[in-house]
Amino acid sequence: MTRLTAEPAPDGLVSDRGSAFSNDTGEPIVRIVAGRVGENVKRVTVHTKEQGDVVATVRNGYFAAWWPGETFEVSTAPTAPLSMEFSFTAGLIDGSTREFSRPPAPPGE
């Protein structure tokens, strides 16, 4: 079972570990995170290092969010995977919230 096929608790969420994309010309990096939400979750806020709080789109049991990251010059662009630092706040239908950390890396990553 993968992170995006796991069934979340009614007041929970499950997510991928996030992804970062750019091109070789130094254009801004785009960071993306997606996942599933439980039936009692009506909103998700992603707390990011680069952009601050990002409000995710939540629909039909899924959520997705994106935000711009750093811009690199071609000569200084990183060659290793970029770090992804974020956490979540889930807003529930009863008005309460729950905090979630970024999921850990699977073994071997």
Side-chain angles (χ1 to χ4, degrees):
M1 188 175 308
T2 69
R3 292 186 194 281
L4 296 183
T5 59
E7 187 71 31
D11 61 349
L13 64 81
V14 293
S15 78
D16 63 12
R17 296 189 65 248
S19 300
F21 301 94
S22 69
N23 64 29
D24 292 335
T25 65
E27 288 297 313
I29 291 177
V30 176
R31 295 175 185 267
I32 300 168
V33 63
R36 296 184 65 193
V37 296
E39 61 193 34
N40 294 333
V41 176
K42 70 175 187 176
R43 71 181 175 282
V44 174
T45 301
V46 184
H47 309 289
T48 74
K49 178 181 174 184
E50 302 82 16
Q51 190 67 26
D53 288 352
V54 176
V55 177
T57 298
V58 177
R59 193 165 286 129
N60 298 325
Y62 290 87
F63 78 91
W66 72 271
W67 61 98
E70 308 93 332
T71 299
F72 297 102
E73 295 300 321
V74 175
S75 61
T76 61
T79 56
L82 297 168
S83 67
M84 294 286 288
E85 296 183 36
F86 56 84
S87 61
F88 305 99
T89 299
L92 307 180
I93 59 175
D94 68 3
S96 64
T97 59
R98 294 216 33 224
E99 303 295 321
F100 297 91
S101 61
R102 179 176 177 256
E109 275 191 29

